[in-house]
Amino acid sequence: MKKKPIYLYSFLIVSILGNFLGLWDLLTGKQVENPAQLLQLQGNVAQEYNQFYDAAFVLNHNPVQIAIHIVGFLILVATFVFLIKKNLFFANVFYIGYSLFTIVVLAYNYLLSQPLYHYFSEPTFRESAQLIPKVLTFAGVGLNAIFLAVVVFKIFRQQKDLNTEDTTI
């Protein structure tokens, strides 16, 4: 009896949830009128933060971002279909494609957001505002690299097992 690819089911569930939450935010997210007031910022910093927030909202809620999430979701659906049909090789290949796609998208979004930080005149505030996206990007790339490494390892191992089965017959 063959083992079930629990690793791929786990990765797929985490990826579908993450992608769905991102798509949900894109489609239902509303722009806050005065975000600096929510953070109790005052003066020049509040004005800079409001400008930054408005620009970031426009950047993150555009048709390109929606298309990126839809493409990612379609790749995950294809992975799921191949997994259900028990075509593990193509399920692994599509998930590898999804992981690479996600790493590229994370890098793209990180680089695209860098010009937004010019809104902050105070270097300390600018650096602290850049810290969270930097950490999230590195964490996302790291997590997807781990997922990618596990799936690549499993696909090579499965091919090796198939080759040994062929030679014993």
Side-chain angles (χ1 to χ4, degrees):
M1 185 169 141
K2 285 186 170 183
K3 291 182 182 177
K4 290 190 177 189
I6 295 173
Y7 69 96
L8 196 54
Y9 282 110
S10 303
F11 296 165
L12 195 58
I13 288 169
V14 169
S15 299
I16 286 173
L17 286 174
N19 195 290
F20 181 72
L21 289 174
L23 191 59
W24 180 267
D25 177 54
L26 277 173
L27 298 176
T28 64
K30 293 186 175 115
Q31 194 166 2
V32 177
E33 275 304 308
N34 190 0
Q37 186 178 18
L38 295 174
L39 298 174
Q40 298 177 350
L41 299 174
Q42 297 174 352
N44 192 31
V45 174
Q47 182 182 5
E48 291 172 353
Y49 185 78
N50 285 339
Q51 291 172 341
F52 166 78
Y53 177 83
D54 291 341
F57 187 87
V58 168
L59 182 68
N60 290 323
H61 290 80
N62 64 34
V64 173
Q65 292 294 331
I66 293 170
I68 285 172
H69 274 77
I70 289 172
V71 167
F73 194 71
L74 291 175
I75 295 171
L76 289 173
V77 167
T79 304
F80 183 72
V81 167
F82 283 120
L83 199 53
I84 295 300
K85 289 186 174 186
K86 299 188 189 300
N87 191 338
L88 193 55
F89 178 76
F90 281 115
N92 282 325
V93 167
F94 269 87
Y95 194 80
I96 288 170
Y98 174 76
S99 290
L100 292 172
F101 176 75
T102 303
I103 290 170
V104 169
V105 167
L106 285 167
Y108 167 76
N109 286 337
Y110 177 75
L111 293 174
L112 197 63
S113 70
Q114 290 307 300
L116 295 177
Y117 298 104
H118 81 277
Y119 285 107
F120 300 116
S121 60
E122 186 179 329
T124 311
F125 203 79
R126 182 183 312 123
E127 290 171 10
S128 63
Q130 286 176 317
L131 184 64
I132 293 172
K134 201 176 285 187
V135 168
L136 291 176
T137 299
F138 288 132
V141 168
L143 185 65
N144 276 289
I146 290 169
F147 286 179
L148 183 63
V150 169
V151 174
V152 167
F153 171 76
K154 290 289 190 176
I155 202 169
F156 279 123
R157 191 164 194 191
Q158 289 160 1
Q159 290 303 313
K160 183 180 174 187
D161 291 345
L162 284 175
N163 289 339
T164 56
E165 283 180 17
D166 289 343
T167 58
T168 57
I169 294 178

